């Protein structure tokens, strides 16, 4: 099982310096894993030397002279950077030399290049970005997080199929429940696109349970939540904002006096346990669904633990053959629809 | 200064039983306040007797025989419930017998009735729902929260004017900074409506600072954030969901053992202080902006403290004459635009 890792420019605090240690960590953890690091060879060799990891039987390097920058427009990256790490990594997937690609770089460019090189699965119009969001028990897969800002109702239906198959595969749920994100649970609520998507979903054999609201992203009410990329991205970032706000207040309040510092000390195990439960690092690894191949987007500021989780997600999707499952399921559902 | 309170059906845990105590509490707190309770007279008298508050020189009752139910479609409420508390309360505002109306009932019906009875301010197409969201320092006014799911760019511009004037009035900020909610900060991001709105805002004399992302709702980066009602509602509810999730984990983890219960006991002042800082009760009172009159929507499950905050918000908007300020400012900005 071979995962290739594209080492383009990273946006966050950590960047490539965390990715190579993460790859080494994953190689040690998973004996079935082989890794191809795609990027500037001399820099990769330097980083590997620092980790005492060179040579390794399951580790290869593929040289890529160009780098897609973090804020480069996707169209420019696609047109001008034919030797970028991202492009070469995705070509490795297309050519069967790798089973999946992981990148922490420019999301728009990654998506554009993946769509151009790998092509879409039959019947899927556009890719969707899907992540697991932490809930009271387990997690809920939310999609789309911003691949497509104005999807039509048929595309929301495709997202439901993709999210449902991904969840079924990676969480071992036979028939995951699917909700449609809306501004209320009543049938009369929402815009026309959401209402039409609700009709398509109700008439299908998906386990569609109806409209859900923003708070249900974290309530565990359903296994999959489908939404347009604009709302999904804003819901994700707003949630990160609240968590940061609370974390800020926790730190400030516990540092207020000697008394509160003592309380903080005693609360360490509790605070750590809570943090672990909602830590986005454990939920790192967004799936770019709908492509003829497996592409995982890691958060730009991923650290070692976090990036290793994205590699693990890629491995799981390879083992479960997620793209083929999506394709088969979509065809079944569309055949059912014609038969009706 | 007279505030009327519509006692229709309430959605939440508390309902009317909390509203009459809240009104009594507000009357004691604010000597300039007069209240008209609008609803079923016998039930109001009973509730007042329980509070030992009848008679009171600054408290009047206006009988309304009908009730708008929580899940009643707004169109039905508007057509069939001409004697509802909501409708009669809003008529009191129209007729100048009250300066503002507060309701914890059906939001859609309240908005529909307010729009029909009070009419829009000149130049404003549709009302917007605006709430202050807690931030690291102070708060950020966010609008729209769901009055209009598909606004055009001109409407987003109007929201910016309304949010800016409200914030200037109630927070005493001369020229509040305004951001436009989007899926990224780059100019190339977002859909056409958001991009067009950005142009309108950049060319105006509003203190527009550019695109902001979901996490900025809580970062204090700007004073006002403008968005469509669909995304705004989802961002608000998703944020509530995260806060509930964290609160759930805090409670569970601190109850795990005798040791953690001791830590919880010592942490009480800290936890209370954090809760107070992000407590939605202190941020209760959504403004329905753009109307020829002041209408405040309280959360359906508001308790006494929370509902009293909605009354206070109504009083503040009356004192600052928010609708007239919006109207004057919009006219200035549109005149500037023609002049250019």
């Amino acid at each position: 099982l071979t995962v290739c890792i594209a080492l383009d420019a990273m946006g966050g605090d950590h960047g490539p310096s965390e990715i190579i240690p993460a790859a080494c960590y994953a190689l040690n953890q998973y004996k079935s894993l082989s890794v191809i690091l795609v990027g500037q060879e001399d820099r990769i060799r330097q980083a590997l030397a620092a980790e005492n990891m060179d040579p390794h039987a399951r580790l290869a390097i593929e040289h890529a002279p160009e780098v897609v920058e973090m804020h480069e427009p996707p169209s420019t990256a696609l047109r001008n950077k034919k030797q970028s790490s991202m492009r070469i990594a995705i070509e490795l997937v297309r050519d069967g030399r790798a089973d999946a690609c992981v990148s922490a770089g420019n999301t728009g460019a990654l998506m554009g290049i993946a769509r151009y090189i790998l092509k879409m699965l039959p019947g899927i119009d556009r890719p969707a970005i899907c992540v697991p969001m932490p809930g009271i028990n387990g997690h809920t897969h939310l999609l789309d997080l911003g691949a497509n800002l104005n999807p039509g109702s048929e595309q929301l239906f495709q997202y439901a199929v993709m999210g449902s198959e991904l969840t079924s595969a990676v969480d071992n749920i036979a028939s995951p429940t699917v909700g449609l994100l809306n501004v209320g649970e009543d049938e009369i609520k929402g815009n026309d696109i959401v209402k039409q998507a609700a009709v398509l979903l109700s008439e299908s054999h998906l386990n569609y349970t109806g409209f859900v609201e923003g708070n249900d992203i974290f309530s565990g009410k359903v296994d999959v939540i489908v939404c347009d990329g604009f709302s999904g991205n804003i819901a994700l970032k707003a949630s990160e904002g609240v968590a940061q706000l609370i974390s800020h207040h926790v730190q400030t309040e516990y540092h207020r006096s000697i008394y509160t510092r003592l309380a903080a000390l005693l609360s360490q195990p509790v605070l750590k346990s809570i943090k672990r439960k909602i830590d986005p690092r454990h939920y790192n690894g967004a799936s770019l669904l709908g492509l003829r191949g497996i592409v995982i987007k890691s958060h730009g500021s991923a650290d070692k633990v976090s990036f290793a989780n994205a590699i693990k997600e890629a491995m799981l999707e390879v083992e479960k053959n997620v793209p083929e499952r999506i394709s088969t399921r979509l065809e079944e559902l569309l055949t059912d629809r014609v038969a009706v």
Side-chain angles (χ1 to χ4, degrees), chain A residues 20 26 44 69 84 96 107 119 130 180 182 211 221 227 235 248 269 291 298 304 323 328 334:
Chain A
I20 287 171
I44 295 174
E69 299 298 335
S84 70
T107 311
K119 313 296 179 203
C130 183
L180 197 52
N182 199 352
F211 292 138
K221 191 175 180 182
C227 63
H248 167 88
L291 299 162
S298 157
K304 182 175 139 180
T328 308
L334 294 180

Side-chain angles (χ1 to χ4, degrees), chain A residues 274-307:
Chain A
I274 296 168
K275 202 184 163 193
R276 202 170 48 241
K277 288 195 166 144
I278 57 164
D279 191 346
R281 294 192 309 164
H282 294 289
Y283 290 91
N284 188 36
S287 309
L288 267 56
L289 297 175
L291 299 162
R292 292 178 191 257
I294 294 166
V295 180
I296 304 292
K297 169 65 175 69
S298 157
H299 202 288
S301 58
D303 65 5
K304 182 175 139 180
V305 174
S306 180
F307 197 85

